[in-house]
Amino acid sequence: MSDCIFCRIIRGEIPSKKIYEDEEIFAFHDINPIAPVHFMIVPKVHVASLMEVDASHQKILGHILLKANELARGQGLEEGFRTIINSGRIGHQEVYHLHVHILGGPEPLGSMLKRRAP
Ligand code: 5GP
Ligand code: ZN
């Protein structure tokens, strides 16, 4: 059994503001939101990051993205949202249990990343 923080949230050992769960996935609000709506969808199976996935994860990855749209609408994001998957050191991943961030709010979120000065 993994003592990873998101595995513990999935098992209910650490409280979270849950949005949705089924046999394969779990969705909950980010504890430190960076947009008016900010939640994450994670697979229940422990996968460290998108850098570790293989063909056996194809179904669950599709399931997460289909649910992203449905759950975003359920959170009032009818006019669009952003999905982010941070992967590895360069991607600035902080929690090593694969998660898809869903971000949105009443106003447009702005550009994806700040452009570096030339
Ligand atoms: P990453 O940088 O790995 O893509 O994002 C990890 C996210 O997990 C961060 O946005 C952070 O706020 C969130 N997070 C970290 N610990 C917890 C926690 O205990 N509960 C919840 N709900 N979110 C967490
Ligand atoms: Zn985990």
Side-chain angles (χ1 to χ4, degrees), residues 14-57:
I14 296 174
S16 71
K17 289 207 274 176
K18 181 172 92 176
I19 292 174
Y20 173 82
E21 95 174 281
D22 61 29
E23 283 132 60
E24 291 184 313
I25 65 174
F26 192 94
F28 57 108
H29 289 281
D30 197 292
I31 202 168
N32 193 14
I34 55 169
V37 176
H38 182 181
F39 64 96
M40 296 177 281
I41 310 178
V42 306
K44 285 192 169 174
V45 63
H46 180 85
V47 185
S49 85
L50 203 56
M51 297 170 76
E52 327 294 328
V53 298
D54 59 35
S56 73
H57 301 107

Side-chain angles (χ1 to χ4, degrees), residues 2 4 6-7 46 96-97:
S2 172
C4 136
F6 285 179
C7 283
H46 180 85
Y96 277 80
H97 179 128

Side-chain angles (χ1 to χ4, degrees), residues 4 6 40 42-43 46-52 84-101:
C4 136
F6 285 179
M40 296 177 281
V42 306
H46 180 85
V47 185
S49 85
L50 203 56
M51 297 170 76
E52 327 294 328
I84 298 177
I85 306 174
N86 294 320
S87 305
R89 183 178 69 86
I90 301 299
H92 207 290
Q93 184 174 0
E94 288 174 2
V95 176
Y96 277 80
H97 179 128
L98 175 63
H99 50 283
V100 178
H101 295 266

Side-chain angles (χ1 to χ4, degrees), residues 104-118:
E107 304 299 329
L109 294 171
S111 65
M112 202 158 55
L113 283 177
K114 282 204 183 105
R115 262 179 220 290
R116 288 167 193 259

